[in-house]
Amino acid sequence: MDEGKKIRVLVAKPGLDGHDRGAKVVARALRDAGMEVIYTGLRQTPEQIVAAAIQEDVDVVAMSILSGAHNYLFPRVMQLLHERGVDDVLVVGGGIIPDEDIPGLKECGIAEVFTPGASTADTVKFIRENIKR
Amino acid sequence: MNQGDLKGEHGRWRSGPYAKVCARFPERKERFEGSSGIEVKPLYTPLDVEHIDYLNDLGFPGEYPYTRGVQPTMYRGRFWTMRQYAGFATAEESNRRYKYLLEQGQTGLSVAFDLPTQIGYDSDHELSAGEVGKVGVAIDSLADMETLFDGIPLDKVSTSMTINAPASMLLAMYIAVAEKQGVSADKLNGTIQNDILKEYAARGTYIFPPKPSMRLITNIFEYCSTAVPRWNTISISGYHIREAGATAVQEVAFTLADGIAYVKAAVDAGLDVDDFAPRLSFFFNAHNDLLEEVAKFRAARRLWARIMRDRFGARDPKSMQLRFHTQTAGCTLTAQQPDNNIVRVTLQALAAVLGGTQSLHTNSRDEALALPSQDSVRIALRTQQIIAYESGVADGVDPLAGSYYIEALTDQIERAAADYIRRIDEIGGAPAAIERGFIQAEIEESAYRYQMEIESGDRTIVGLNDFQIEEARPSGLLKVDPAVGDLQCRKLAELRAERDNAAVEASLAALGRAAEGSDNLMPYILDAVRAYATLGEMCGVLRGVFGEYKPTVAY
């Protein structure tokens, strides 16, 4: 990516889940690390998330789900991104996500899944090292 | 010895023996403090409690200001209600879990609903996709509710339902199931959460804007005061505020500020405070700091009693009694070495009991990983039973009272929470403070500070940032079958084909007209429920009249 250009991140809450302590803490940590962060707020459909990612021209989409709906909603976002021809955006996820679900999520294009106990420093590092543009 | 001598002696000890040891062996930290930033001193003495007047500030159990508990005998008469929050997948599966818990000695039910139910969407709504039966049981209509309580006599159990925006519909379904069992509504015991303000501030399952939401709540207060007199019409909740990151002081302050807003709304609607206030109940979190938590519960009781008597002129002692449910803090559970969570939960549950809770949910060890398995839920329930039957802490009332430390801390927490409430009053009360984002911003700040303390190592979480081991991820986690969504959709299609759709339409139209006017909506909702209108249909009608809440995002 261009030197000096700030990494732009969309922090998104897909589905009906209202737990956004983690999403907000991550949003603030990314901002403190020098990134530009847009937080969608609660109850976003996959369509809304993909539209926001395109409109805001973000480099990263970071999604958080604690309700157990990740196996449906994360792949749906990836499918819509693909359909819209967006393939240079790094997509990461977090939440209460059982280990056994992670390989399937990575297969559909989620680059990394952060589970309880992950540090925001690790998330910042991962984004910096894996950004696609 | 008089206080003057004590002051002198305390000064001598502080600058003498204490300072000498500190100079040779520095303490672990320069400053010790609780979650709310209140400094913990090395030693508490009578000097720290000399301003406390026993009769005015502590009193006796069951008497104003209720610092020592809301009943004279507390757990010497009867233990707290052991009430495990449960619900997942279909009504059939949840019904089986309830019967299991009752067989294991649980004394009350607590229903967890899935997110579509909590937000008033039927299982076949497009926004329900992926969420049906996940964080609780899916309830679309009275038919599901009949299955959920099949074989459970509603005049014998008390049932708590974590339902907020559509609380009136789920309460109406419960009343209708009881009718079918031959149990009249005046025999029903239980609680609906029905606390919309904390949904806007911290939990997220709102539907309607604040004004019609407050109307629904006061409608319930009014309806239940005569028709369901033993029902707790609201559970004013600090639990989720704390889970979202608040400190102990913020938890007390924001919860009681919400309570003030509900009382004010009902009084403004023309209700007499003593007609509804005895049925208000509260719900708090039990976090890790054992002594701070005990002091928090005692401070909340005293502060609420004073608010109800002095601000609202309540005369009925029951209006002044802060009765509360407690749940141990989900946010403290670690995915690492999850068996350690049993110990955390034990300490937290102990705080709730020493703090005088009326009912308790203990979290299961595996909840940072998934919904709890049956084995984990049993251990969590056994934890309560061991505290009750083996530890001895339930045998005396408010046993920590009189500890210089506990009394000083109780006082400090009460004062700090009262200061916050004054700031919220200046903004115009809790609804205005939420609308402006004040409460959310305060919570977020605390959440971020807590996380940074963990990441910097200032705060040690055993197994997470210290004392780690290599471990295999645990097996045997509960998994909700994704087919639950399809099954619920099929049940809905059958219901819509079999019921008297003309009666459904008529009851929904009547509900819509009533919503446009000013009638109490409870009787209309009961009619629609009895006709097997679905939750999504009823909420759809009210969405049409009231509109939907759109949060102002602070980012």
Side-chain angles (χ1 to χ4, degrees):
Chain A
M1 64 176 289
D2 298 342
E3 286 298 318
K5 180 180 166 279
K6 279 189 170 184
I7 297 174
R8 285 172 67 78
V9 186
L10 184 74
V11 173
K13 281 291 297 178
L16 303 179
D17 176 29
H19 297 91
D20 62 353
R21 175 179 182 164
K24 285 172 168 172
V25 165
V26 167
R28 180 151 167 200
L30 299 182
R31 196 170 290 160
D32 283 357
M35 301 182 196
E36 280 180 34
V37 181
I38 303 129
Y39 173 49
T40 61
L42 300 178
R43 287 196 216 166
Q44 300 296 302
T45 61
E47 288 79 5
Q48 287 170 315
I49 290 167
V50 169
I54 292 169
Q55 195 190 331
E56 297 288 347
D57 190 27
V58 295
D59 308 298
V60 183
V61 174
M63 295 185 284
S64 160
I65 300 186
L66 285 81
S67 73
H70 49 270
N71 281 341
Y72 174 78
L73 291 164
F74 283 177
R76 180 85 188 120
V77 169
M78 294 313 300
Q79 183 196 344
L80 290 170
L81 282 172
H82 184 70
E83 283 173 19
R84 301 284 297 267
V86 181
D87 52 12
D88 59 350
V89 170
L90 177 72
V91 183
V92 296
I96 299 196
I97 295 170
D99 270 10
E100 62 196 71
D101 293 348
I102 292 174
L105 296 174
K106 288 194 169 170
E107 209 161 286
C108 80
I110 307 288
E112 188 56 277
V113 176
F114 298 93
T115 54
S119 79
T120 58
D122 288 346
T123 310
V124 168
K125 185 163 175 278
F126 183 86
I127 288 175
R128 286 205 176 117
E129 287 174 358
N130 290 277
I131 195 97
K132 294 185 183 174
R133 56 180 190 178
Chain B
M1 179 168 64
N2 67 39
Q3 298 291 70
D5 292 344
L6 177 57
K7 221 170 197 160
E9 281 297 292
H10 183 257
R12 179 197 57 74
W13 174 82
R14 197 68 210 235
S15 54
Y18 175 74
K20 220 161 111 188
V21 171
C22 286
R24 281 190 65 195
F25 308 103
E27 292 183 336
R28 286 181 288 110
K29 296 180 196 174
E30 274 182 26
R31 179 185 157 93
F32 292 80
E33 59 179 45
S35 74
S36 316
I38 295 172
E39 182 169 16
V40 179
K41 301 198 291 184
L43 189 74
Y44 290 79
T45 70
L47 295 171
D48 295 288
V49 297
E50 60 188 352
H51 60 285
I52 292 176
D53 178 292
Y54 183 84
L55 290 177
N56 276 323
D57 296 325
L58 297 178
F60 291 94
E63 290 183 5
Y64 189 86
Y66 305 102
T67 314
R68 306 208 57 185
V70 292
Q71 295 127 1
T73 61
M74 288 303 290
Y75 310 132
R76 290 167 66 91
R78 182 176 80 75
F79 291 127
W80 59 94
T81 302
M82 299 178 192
R83 193 192 291 286
Q84 297 295 94
Y85 184 47
F88 59 98
T90 58
E92 287 84 356
E93 282 200 58
S94 296
N95 176 265
R96 276 196 289 277
R97 176 71 67 95
Y98 297 159
K99 285 178 174 160
Y100 173 81
L101 285 165
L102 291 170
E103 280 161 20
Q104 295 300 315
Q106 170 166 293
T107 49
L109 294 176
S110 175
V111 181
F113 297 101
D114 71 359
L115 286 166
T117 305
Q118 293 188 52
I119 301 173
Y121 293 124
D122 286 335
S123 296
D124 56 1
H125 191 282
E126 58 171 335
L127 293 177
S128 303
E131 308 270 19
V132 176
K134 284 280 162 52
V135 303
V137 59
I139 300 292
D140 287 316
S141 74
L142 177 57
D144 293 326
M145 203 71 161
E146 289 164 1
T147 307
L148 188 65
F149 293 104
D150 181 52
I152 299 172
L154 298 191
D155 53 345
K156 299 280 187 335
V157 293
S158 73
T159 302
S160 170
M161 294 190 275
T162 298
I163 195 73
N164 293 279
S168 29
M169 287 92 178
L170 274 300
L171 174 60
M173 288 183 197
Y174 194 80
I175 293 170
V177 172
E179 281 169 0
K180 298 201 170 204
Q181 290 188 359
V183 175
S184 59
D186 62 340
K187 302 269 186 332
L188 296 176
N189 284 295
T191 307
I192 39 175
Q193 198 161 77
N194 198 26
D195 170 9
I196 200 67
L197 291 172
K198 66 92 176 53
E199 296 296 328
Y200 300 133
R203 189 169 175 275
T205 68
Y206 41 74
I207 303 176
F208 313 112
K211 215 171 153 198
S213 295
M214 295 300 266
R215 171 186 171 190
L216 284 167
I217 291 166
T218 47
N219 282 177
I220 293 170
F221 288 179
E222 188 186 13
Y223 181 84
C224 289
S225 67
T226 51
V228 206
R230 283 148 69 176
W231 198 264
N232 297 311
T233 51
I234 192 167
S235 174
I236 306 163
S237 304
Y239 182 80
H240 320 89
I241 290 171
R242 190 72 183 275
E243 286 293 292
T247 66
V249 165
Q250 288 171 336
E251 181 188 357
V252 173
F254 300 158
T255 308
L256 299 199
D258 287 348
I260 289 168
Y262 295 123
V263 174
K264 192 171 173 303
V267 169
D268 288 350
L271 307 187
D272 184 284
V273 66
D274 287 320
D275 281 346
F276 68 89
R279 300 317 304 168
L280 305 179
S281 63
F282 288 81
F283 174 21
F284 289 112
N285 193 298
H287 213 277
N288 277 338
D289 190 330
L290 179 80
L291 299 177
E292 182 182 49
E293 292 299 284
V294 174
K296 174 190 82 179
F297 297 125
R298 301 173 82 246
R301 260 197 309 270
R302 184 159 72 202
L303 187 51
W304 185 247
R306 288 174 169 162
I307 288 167
M308 290 307 289
R309 190 187 71 173
D310 301 339
R311 187 191 280 227
F312 291 108
R315 296 164 310 280
D316 184 345
K318 287 195 162 14
S319 300
M320 306 174 204
Q321 295 171 358
L322 183 149
R323 297 171 299 121
F324 67 101
H325 173 68
T326 306
Q327 180 170 341
T328 58
C331 61
T332 65
L333 302 179
T334 61
Q336 296 71 25
Q337 303 176 45
D339 285 348
N340 295 344
N341 292 325
I342 297 172
V343 183
R344 293 189 177 96
V345 167
T346 306
L347 290 167
Q348 295 162 3
L350 184 61
V353 170
L354 292 170
T357 195
Q358 275 58 63
S359 62
L360 179 60
H361 166 105
T362 33
N363 287 329
S364 297
R365 59 184 166 170
D366 46 3
E367 291 188 65
L369 300 156
L371 285 183
S373 69
Q374 188 147 299
D375 282 352
S376 299
V377 172
R378 193 189 59 245
I379 293 170
L381 177 58
R382 294 288 180 259
T383 303
Q384 295 199 38
Q385 290 162 335
I386 290 167
I387 292 173
Y389 293 97
E390 299 184 21
S391 79
V393 296
D395 294 350
V397 178
D398 190 26
L400 294 190
S403 147
Y404 308 127
Y405 181 26
I406 284 288
E407 295 300 355
L409 196 53
T410 300
D411 208 45
Q412 283 175 303
I413 290 175
E414 182 191 5
R415 268 186 284 155
D419 282 344
Y420 248 124
I421 291 173
R422 261 190 294 279
R423 284 167 70 190
I424 292 167
D425 284 340
E426 283 164 17
I427 296 173
I434 291 165
E435 199 179 332
R436 283 214 214 154
F438 169 77
I439 288 177
Q440 298 91 313
E442 293 287 304
I443 296 171
E444 283 161 28
E445 183 64 34
S446 299
Y448 194 64
R449 195 182 326 124
Y450 188 87
Q451 180 65 24
M452 290 306 119
E453 284 168 9
I454 293 173
E455 295 195 12
S456 67
D458 287 348
R459 179 183 290 277
T460 298
I461 306 290
V462 173
L464 176 68
N465 62 356
D466 204 351
F467 312 108
Q468 299 105 315
I469 53 169
E470 285 296 318
E471 57 182 327
R473 295 294 283 239
S475 54
L477 298 178
L478 185 133
K479 204 161 174 69
V480 175
D481 184 351
V484 166
D486 296 337
L487 180 64
Q488 258 326 100
C489 292
R490 275 203 304 280
K491 286 192 342 195
L492 258 177
E494 281 168 26
L495 176 86
R496 290 198 174 107
E498 286 168 8
R499 67 185 182 179
D500 179 350
N501 280 305
V504 171
E505 289 305 322
S507 69
L508 290 174
L511 175 60
R513 281 193 302 276
E516 283 164 7
S518 59
D519 279 5
N520 190 315
L521 296 180
M522 273 305 291
Y524 298 92
I525 291 167
L526 259 166
D527 283 347
V529 160
R530 290 189 187 112
Y532 293 90
T534 67
L535 181 63
E537 289 164 347
M538 290 184 280
C539 288
V541 167
L542 295 186
R543 280 184 159 101
V545 178
F546 296 152
E548 290 189 72
Y549 176 70
K550 295 274 177 266
T552 44
V553 177
Y555 279 80

